[in-house]
Amino acid sequence: MHAGRYRRETVLFGLLLCLAASSVAADWRATLPSAAPLGSGEYRWYGLRLYSATLWSDSERPWPDQPFALELTYHRSLGRDTLVQASIEEIRRLQGDAVDEVTLARWSAEMGRAFADVSAGDRLVGVSVPGQGCRFYLNDQLRHEIADPRFAAAFFAIWLDPRTQAPELRRELLGDTRR
């Protein structure tokens, strides 16, 4: 009796380990298996190098209609709250009155679940899935999915909208080699 129970528990434990390993192994590339780097650049704030960015896609012009991934590799430690607040400020600047404060508060809470404190070397990847929303991965592990296409468009506009605060980085991300 005990041996049968032990075997069932062992098999169940093994299955749970396999499931956990497969979910840990799955990263953002599973969503975009044929994606290649479209462009990359660095973001500096008052001369300090904050992060390197790479735009991954299987399309020459992914934004806003095609799936893509934006990978940020941090060169400095930044807190989750700082990342969320900076994102909300840029969304507010770009979207103006098109997004109300209630929506911004909801998006802020979603980003709080998606982001984490980052250190030098950490990679945060946002994957845009047009018509569905986006997913955020920290160091290749899924952190949070936001099923809100409007949020996804507003969030990625921070880097890809022509009115971005970093037009040179936008140009580099989109692979525009013209000066």
Side-chain angles (χ1 to χ4, degrees):
M1 180 104 159
H2 291 294
R5 181 176 173 202
Y6 175 75
R7 256 192 306 264
R8 279 192 308 273
E9 288 175 356
T10 302
V11 168
L12 180 59
F13 181 71
L15 287 172
L16 290 173
L17 280 177
C18 288
L19 288 172
S22 68
S23 68
V24 168
D27 67 18
W28 67 267
R29 288 169 196 83
T31 304
L32 299 168
S34 62
L38 186 61
S40 62
E42 290 189 344
Y43 181 75
R44 294 177 181 270
W45 184 71
Y46 292 107
L48 297 174
R49 188 171 73 143
L50 294 184
Y51 58 80
S52 298
T54 302
L55 185 63
W56 294 79
S57 178
D58 56 8
S59 170
E60 288 183 25
R61 285 290 180 194
W63 191 73
D65 299 325
Q66 300 297 316
F68 63 86
L70 179 64
E71 177 182 36
L72 304 180
T73 303
Y74 289 89
H75 300 291
R76 304 193 166 281
S77 295
L78 295 168
R80 171 198 339 238
D81 293 342
T82 299
L83 298 173
V84 170
Q85 188 58 39
S87 298
I88 286 295
E89 287 174 11
E90 275 305 290
I91 290 171
R92 184 180 281 126
R93 183 185 71 79
L94 290 168
Q95 301 301 313
D97 294 337
V99 180
D100 60 45
E101 291 301 316
V102 171
T103 301
L104 286 172
R106 183 171 41 84
W107 288 355
S108 179
E110 292 280 8
M111 285 187 283
R113 288 188 281 283
F115 301 167
D117 296 341
V118 295
S119 300
D122 282 340
R123 289 179 303 109
L124 181 64
V125 178
V127 177
S128 175
V129 184
Q132 294 179 25
C134 57
R135 297 181 193 115
F136 290 94
Y137 298 80
L138 181 62
N139 298 325
D140 292 332
Q141 297 209 4
L142 179 64
R143 290 266 315 163
H144 189 58
E145 184 169 349
I146 301 174
D148 184 343
R150 191 170 165 221
F151 166 77
F155 178 77
F156 291 110
I158 294 170
W159 293 270
L160 301 174
D161 188 283
R163 298 168 296 147
T164 181
Q165 292 277 25
E168 179 69 16
L169 178 57
R170 175 185 184 268
R171 188 184 67 72
E172 292 169 343
L173 289 172
L174 292 173
D176 184 354
T177 56
R178 294 173 287 153
R179 285 229 173 230

